[in-house]
Amino acid sequence: MSIEIMSRLTLDDLLDQLEQARQMAIEERKPTAMIQATVTTAKLLGLDKPVVKDVHADDVQTISELMNELSSEQAAITYKDIMG
């Protein structure tokens, strides 16, 4: 790909290409590739940067508490949606 063509790529173009790659990974049941496309998308959007917030320790839920809020039916549906 020439530099001229690369300079015409937009963030939306890159995000579209990553979404296509993620969909292919889902269809081919390749979770590692799917995760990589998702992580790369997050990085492009700047979502990999820490967000500093003023949080009280009492307001923080543990992973166990969060998992208890997700019913086994919801977990099964989410897993099926991801893995097909």
Side-chain angles (χ1 to χ4, degrees), residues 41-55:
T41 300
K43 286 181 179 183
L44 277 175
L45 294 173
L47 299 175
D48 61 324
K49 309 291 186 250
V51 175
V52 179
K53 295 188 338 184
D54 187 17
V55 178

Side-chain angles (χ1 to χ4, degrees), residues 60-69:
V60 177
Q61 286 184 299
T62 65
I63 290 183
S64 179
E65 291 169 334
L66 292 170
M67 292 302 292
N68 287 338
E69 292 178 14

Side-chain angles (χ1 to χ4, degrees), residues 1-10:
M1 192 177 296
S2 73
I3 293 174
E4 181 181 330
I5 292 173
M6 287 177 49
S7 67
R8 286 191 250 153
L9 281 175
T10 66

Side-chain angles (χ1 to χ4, degrees), residues 1-83:
M1 192 177 296
S2 73
I3 293 174
E4 181 181 330
I5 292 173
M6 287 177 49
S7 67
R8 286 191 250 153
L9 281 175
T10 66
L11 179 59
D12 285 338
D13 295 332
L14 295 172
L15 293 172
D16 287 342
Q17 291 175 11
L18 281 166
E19 180 57 24
Q20 289 174 12
R22 194 179 75 81
Q23 290 302 320
M24 287 173 56
I26 291 171
E27 290 168 10
E28 295 175 14
R29 296 181 180 263
K30 295 186 177 183
T32 303
M34 181 191 71
I35 291 167
Q36 186 59 46
T38 301
V39 168
T40 303
T41 300
K43 286 181 179 183
L44 277 175
L45 294 173
L47 299 175
D48 61 324
K49 309 291 186 250
V51 175
V52 179
K53 295 188 338 184
D54 187 17
V55 178
H56 295 88
D58 294 339
D59 296 337
V60 177
Q61 286 184 299
T62 65
I63 290 183
S64 179
E65 291 169 334
L66 292 170
M67 292 302 292
N68 287 338
E69 292 178 14
L70 185 64
S71 72
S72 57
E73 181 179 324
Q74 289 171 314
I77 289 169
T78 301
Y79 179 81
K80 184 179 179 195
D81 288 344
I82 291 172
M83 299 308 291

